[in-house]
Amino acid sequence: MADQETGTGTAQPDGPDLEEAREKAAEMEDRWRRTAAELDNFRKRVAREAGQEREAERARVAASWLPIVDNLELALEHADAGDDAIVKGVQAVRDQALAVLAGLGYPRFDDRDKSFDPGLHEAVGTTPDPEVPAGTIVHVIRPRYGDGTRVLRPAAVIVSAGES
């Protein structure tokens, strides 16, 4: 009341101004609730679509391996054939598997005679070799799959220690 007498401070809206402010506040609250509901629905839709995409990708990858499984079964059916035929069949299946991995973006690399890179290689041993510079890969135990930015598995290698 003192504010009204002195004319200072804030005056309370009355009548139509108060009703207009309440309507505007109700409208803003309604818009906020709708936006929150839309955001919640968007989050749920994105999560559902991501799950569906993951499942579809898993199915594509699994389907790309089916011909390899088929060829392994054919090789087992012909296990009584000569050793040379079995070896050639297993090599063909291995080549097919490597092609699938390369098609998925993870080609196989032969890192022999390359410089050791801890981002691409896992040193499982060293060997003294005066003819090979230190830090050079002399033997690959398990090959590396992937490119320089995406490594599915690093190569397990033996590295030259240079002269002993």
Side-chain angles (χ1 to χ4, degrees):
M1 294 279 174
D3 290 336
Q4 289 178 352
E5 291 175 19
T6 61
T8 62
T10 59
Q12 296 292 326
D14 60 341
D17 291 340
L18 179 60
E19 188 60 33
E20 186 179 318
R22 285 183 178 154
E23 286 176 9
K24 189 165 186 143
E27 179 185 332
M28 295 301 276
E29 184 178 357
D30 182 57
R31 289 173 59 188
W32 171 77
R33 290 184 189 277
R34 288 177 189 267
T35 302
E38 286 176 10
L39 178 61
D40 189 46
N41 290 338
F42 175 73
R43 285 180 180 151
K44 289 176 183 175
R45 186 177 72 243
V46 167
R48 183 178 60 251
E49 289 173 357
Q52 290 170 343
E53 185 60 33
R54 234 183 342 267
E55 190 59 35
E57 184 62 26
R58 288 180 66 217
R60 283 191 291 272
V61 170
S64 66
W65 285 98
L66 290 178
I68 296 167
V69 173
D70 294 341
N71 286 335
L72 285 171
E73 288 177 353
L74 283 172
L76 290 173
E77 286 178 14
H78 296 92
D80 58 350
D83 289 342
D84 191 40
I86 292 174
V87 169
K88 286 182 181 180
V90 170
Q91 287 172 337
V93 173
R94 183 211 48 211
D95 294 343
Q96 188 178 23
L98 292 175
V100 167
L101 285 168
L104 293 171
Y106 297 101
R108 180 180 182 161
F109 284 90
D110 180 15
D111 291 317
R112 186 179 167 95
D113 298 327
K114 294 184 180 173
S115 294
F116 177 78
D117 178 349
L120 303 174
H121 309 112
E122 175 187 349
V124 295
T126 59
T127 184
D129 191 338
E131 296 179 17
V132 179
T136 302
I137 298 169
V138 294
H139 182 68
V140 177
I141 296 179
R142 274 191 338 251
R144 168 174 59 105
Y145 292 88
D147 57 23
T149 58
R150 298 178 306 156
V151 177
L152 185 60
R153 180 180 76 188
V157 298
I158 296 178
V159 181
S160 170
E163 293 185 37
S164 55

